[in-house]
Amino acid sequence: MKRYIITIAVAALALSASAQSSANELSKARAAVAAAKSATAPDARQCIFDIKAYHDTDGRLVVGGVTSDRDARRAVVSKLDETGLEYADSIKVLPYNRWAQTRISAASHRGAGRHSAEMVTQSVLGTPLRVLEASGDWWRVQTPDGYIAYVPSSSVVAKTDSEMAAWRKASRFIVTSHYQVRAYSTPTADSPRQIVTDLVNGCIVTAVGGAPKLTDGRLHIELPDGRTGYVDSSALTPVEQWAAQDFDADRILDTAYSMEGTPYLWGGTSVKALDCSGLAKVSYYANGIILMRDASQQALTGTRIEASDWRRCRPGDLLFFGNAKTKKVTHVAIYDHDGDYVHSSGRVKRNSVDPDSPSYLTTPFLHAVRIAGNEETKGITRARNHPWYFDR
């Protein structure tokens, strides 16, 4: 009887040790996954990172899930290898070869796949989009600035890898008119019933037949979904010329001021209606520069200038406002001169950071950043160097 009790006790201790060992390896694996996420995917707006460590029904350690970033997967594997753990790799990377382009002048992207979900960003016609998931009425896509959201499938058209490669080599034109323009069904049409589509600043179209063809001052263009029309050539600029621009504060500010009075729209990033960071994005995009989507993201880019040094600001610098205690950024504006800035708050309008100015606003001014001279640093990309727009 005594020997039997000792055997049970030894078995119980062995089971306890095994359970503890299993718990320890799971804890190590989870710590490795967390470290990889912190290093490569800290912002859920930019990267899908749904990777977890767990034990399967047979007690095996498994690390599985899905991510939108190859580097994030590599980081997980690297961190796990450092632990020396044995595990089953079940991590899936979402595809890099599925594409779409926006087919309407301004498509709304939402935080979830339903119309009642918050609108978080937009894309204009011709914008290249990486398709992460495509099923039903809502596609999960990534915009050129890295932002991930859901867009109605009716707002986009699917493209293959080869079609996108051909598009990058095609004769393309971008709408550089500050104001909304129309594509008509014939070169001489002027009736509302002959409109093919509206177009806004930043929309990209291609020349029909592979070479620009002008008729009565209008260019024959093709839209991403194959529709064709005629647009006043004065509203268009060759994509290569637009992308080749040097930094131009006047162009940025002229674009912003052209929208004065335009209504504020949460999630808006087109000249039709836009939010504060949308105004910064649209204005910089007119200068061939792609900024990050949200003010809180834009605030972490460029060269920082403290609020107390606002007199050092130059035209085109971005000003950030928010909570004075937590320093949380909630608003962005574009600096002009002598303390004046333009921003979208209720509508696009002008105010000042100078306390002595009659247009001074009391919203806490946190800091500024300089984009000029920081192109191709984190979060600031020239379109000419973006591989979705041009072969690089």
Side-chain angles (χ1 to χ4, degrees):
M1 183 66 177
K2 186 174 181 181
R3 182 180 298 171
Y4 180 67
I5 293 172
I6 291 172
T7 301
I8 291 175
V10 170
L13 286 171
L15 285 172
S16 176
S18 176
Q20 185 62 46
S21 175
S22 180
N24 286 342
E25 72 172 14
L26 186 59
S27 178
K28 287 182 180 179
R30 286 174 173 170
V33 170
K37 180 178 182 179
S38 178
T40 60
D43 191 341
R45 294 167 292 186
Q46 301 286 125
C47 180
I48 297 169
F49 189 101
D50 186 16
I51 299 173
K52 294 179 174 60
Y54 58 92
H55 284 118
D56 65 12
T57 54
D58 295 325
R60 293 182 307 167
L61 177 63
V62 178
V63 179
V66 64
T67 180
S68 59
D69 195 316
R70 296 188 188 108
D71 290 337
R73 185 192 185 285
R74 293 188 190 104
V76 171
V77 172
S78 177
K79 292 292 183 183
L80 286 166
D81 287 347
E82 289 175 10
T83 68
L85 294 170
E86 292 186 7
Y87 65 96
D89 184 346
S90 184
I91 303 170
K92 176 185 176 183
V93 178
L94 293 172
Y96 275 80
N97 61 349
R98 297 175 65 184
W99 301 96
Q101 283 184 288
T102 308
R103 70 192 304 173
I104 58 177
S105 59
S108 297
H109 297 226
R110 300 186 180 275
R114 57 182 185 275
H115 287 290
S116 59
E118 175 188 36
M119 188 171 83
V120 293
T121 194
Q122 291 180 314
S123 60
V124 297
L125 185 143
T127 301
L129 305 168
R130 177 187 169 200
V131 179
L132 302 173
E133 299 170 327
S135 62
D137 296 334
W138 291 89
W139 292 5
R140 200 176 193 184
V141 300
Q142 189 169 34
T143 51
D145 58 18
Y147 212 87
I148 295 172
Y150 293 83
V151 66
S153 58
S154 59
S155 297
V156 298
V157 58
K159 298 288 181 178
T160 64
D161 234 0
S162 60
E163 286 173 327
M164 290 306 296
W167 176 78
R168 289 191 292 272
K169 292 180 172 62
S171 177
R172 295 170 294 163
F173 292 82
I174 187 166
V175 176
T176 48
S177 168
H178 288 147
Y179 310 108
Q180 198 170 22
V181 297
R182 302 281 190 252
Y184 289 91
S185 57
T186 72
T188 58
D190 58 9
S191 166
R193 299 191 183 193
Q194 294 173 294
I195 292 172
V196 176
T197 188
D198 69 317
L199 297 168
V200 297
N201 190 279
C203 289
I204 298 177
V205 298
T206 58
V208 170
K213 182 181 179 182
L214 282 175
T215 306
D216 292 331
R218 287 180 176 172
L219 181 71
H220 197 192
I221 59 97
E222 182 175 350
L223 306 178
D225 58 8
R227 289 176 293 159
T228 61
Y230 294 84
V231 179
D232 289 340
S233 61
S234 61
L236 303 170
T237 299
V239 163
E240 291 79 8
Q241 182 179 326
W242 160 75
Q245 297 177 83
D246 292 327
F247 184 87
D248 187 342
D250 285 334
R251 182 177 296 275
I252 292 165
L253 285 162
D254 283 349
T255 302
Y257 283 128
S258 75
M259 291 180 273
E260 191 147 7
T262 297
Y264 178 96
L265 176 66
W266 180 272
T269 59
S270 82
V271 298
K272 292 187 174 190
L274 65 184
D275 59 22
C276 62
S277 54
L279 178 69
K281 276 190 65 65
V282 170
S283 300
Y284 265 83
Y285 193 65
N287 192 207
I289 297 171
I290 301 169
L291 297 183
M292 298 189 78
R293 170 61 189 100
D294 293 338
S296 61
Q297 296 172 312
Q298 295 170 0
L300 301 176
T301 65
T303 301
R304 184 183 176 102
I305 301 168
E306 298 305 324
S308 58
D309 294 330
W310 66 262
R311 288 176 179 81
R312 289 180 46 220
C313 287
R314 300 174 188 167
D317 288 349
L318 299 182
L319 311 180
F320 295 94
F321 303 80
N323 188 300
K325 292 183 179 179
T326 65
K327 305 301 181 184
K328 181 180 179 180
V329 169
T330 59
H331 188 62
V332 60
I334 307 173
Y335 188 79
D336 190 350
H337 61 84
D338 298 328
D340 293 341
Y341 59 84
V342 57
H343 63 138
S344 180
S345 178
R347 67 182 190 279
V348 177
K349 59 185 180 181
R350 311 178 192 205
N351 283 107
S352 177
V353 290
D354 185 349
D356 296 327
S357 171
S359 58
Y360 174 72
L361 284 186
T362 58
T363 305
F365 173 35
L366 304 181
H367 74 276
V369 301
R370 179 158 298 148
I371 302 299
N374 290 289
E375 297 88 333
E376 301 313 320
T377 61
K378 184 178 180 182
I380 306 169
T381 307
R382 285 198 173 278
R384 65 184 180 225
N385 295 323
H386 197 302
W388 296 7
Y389 289 85
F390 297 94
D391 288 328
R392 290 289 181 264

